[in-house]
Amino acid sequence: MKSINDFRPEAVVVDAGDFPTAPVPLGIIDECRRIVCCDGAADAFLASGRVPWRIVGDCDSISPNNRRRYNEILRRFPDQDTNDQTKAVRYLASKGFRTIAIVGATGKREDHSLGNISLLIEYMKRGLDVRIYTDYGVFIPVEGNESFHVEPRMQISIFNFGATELRAEGLRYPIRDFGNWWEGTLNEAVGDTFTIFADGRLLIFITYEVKQEIVL
């Protein structure tokens, strides 16, 4: 059974989206020794008073001063067929890391955010356990049936990547096979667990905070 608190990443990738401000992603950064910055995120990360283990990418976005100062931890990959997030994940995988958290993957540009999030499915296909932590919740890729430990009234969204035979237990609203992503959004846990049944791959988004009940 998965939960938002059960993940102990071996390494963390810091993407070039909005730098985290919420306690959960900041805690993940501060508790992990192996921090890999995409080069577009390096300046903001260094400005926060932190120093990464590695800086990975084509290294065209990091400032010239930081490029010189931190040259020893730079790992350049000029390949333009993948984005810097994937370069960082592949670098970690080549070093034997399989459990990876990504922060800073959203914000600034919506097309980049969607691309970064969708790549979780590709990493899962490669046998990696990768999650994206935002300031609001966590994206968890799953394949087949999966159960989650949550708090009642946590908000749940489900994004389908070709799965069929969809149904769920423990959610406020029933789910079925769907193609448009909006159809799986804005659900809610009714107890402390829920289970998704599926033949195929999905992305599950779980918020950190519990929806407050409105009392009239």
Side-chain angles (χ1 to χ4, degrees):
M1 183 175 293
K2 298 181 183 292
S3 80
I4 63 173
N5 299 315
D6 68 345
F7 203 57
R8 298 293 179 268
E10 302 168 288
V12 176
V13 171
V14 181
D15 242 332
D18 289 338
F19 194 79
T21 60
V24 172
L26 287 176
I28 288 171
I29 291 173
D30 292 336
E31 291 173 8
C32 189
R33 293 176 56 234
R34 305 296 189 190
I35 306 293
V36 174
C37 274
C38 298
D39 75 284
D43 289 339
F45 190 82
L46 293 164
S48 75
R50 302 170 175 89
V51 178
W53 174 60
R54 295 288 186 269
I55 300 171
V56 170
D58 50 24
C59 297
D60 62 349
S61 301
I62 187 172
S63 69
N65 180 58
N66 282 332
R67 187 183 300 117
R68 290 189 298 270
R69 185 176 180 185
Y70 296 100
N71 184 63
E72 289 188 0
I73 62 173
L74 287 175
R75 298 296 183 268
R76 294 178 175 85
F77 297 94
D79 177 16
Q80 296 300 314
D81 290 335
T82 60
N83 67 0
D84 285 345
Q85 175 184 286
T86 296
K87 291 173 185 176
V89 170
R90 287 182 178 178
Y91 173 79
L92 287 167
S94 74
K95 301 300 180 183
F97 298 102
R98 317 302 292 177
T99 306
I100 302 166
I102 299 174
V103 301
T106 59
K108 294 185 178 176
R109 278 183 54 174
E110 289 81 2
D111 54 342
H112 287 183
S113 297
L114 287 170
N116 290 337
I117 293 166
S118 70
L119 281 164
L120 290 177
I121 297 295
E122 300 305 313
Y123 305 148
M124 181 171 61
K125 291 178 183 177
R126 293 174 176 265
L128 304 176
D129 189 3
V130 186
R131 298 182 182 184
I132 286 178
Y133 287 81
T134 76
D135 278 347
Y136 305 98
V138 56
F139 285 95
I140 304 174
V142 299
E143 183 169 9
N145 303 339
E146 190 64 71
S147 296
F148 297 83
H149 179 72
V150 291
E151 295 181 38
R153 298 186 66 82
M154 274 185 168
Q155 304 299 286
I156 314 296
S157 288
I158 302 161
F159 300 92
N160 191 8
F161 284 76
T164 59
E165 306 299 324
L166 285 169
R167 63 183 181 89
E169 294 178 356
L171 295 181
R172 183 169 301 279
Y173 308 110
I175 65 170
R176 62 187 187 282
D177 290 3
F178 62 88
N180 290 321
W181 280 0
W182 71 268
E183 295 180 83
T185 62
L186 306 179
N187 217 316
E188 183 177 300
V190 296
D192 58 6
T193 64
F194 73 91
T195 300
I196 301 293
F197 301 91
D199 182 5
R201 301 181 180 97
L202 305 164
L203 275 179
I204 310 297
F205 182 78
I206 304 174
T207 59
Y208 306 133
E209 296 184 358
V210 174
K211 183 179 180 181
Q212 299 300 312
E213 186 172 4
I214 298 175
V215 179
L216 300 178

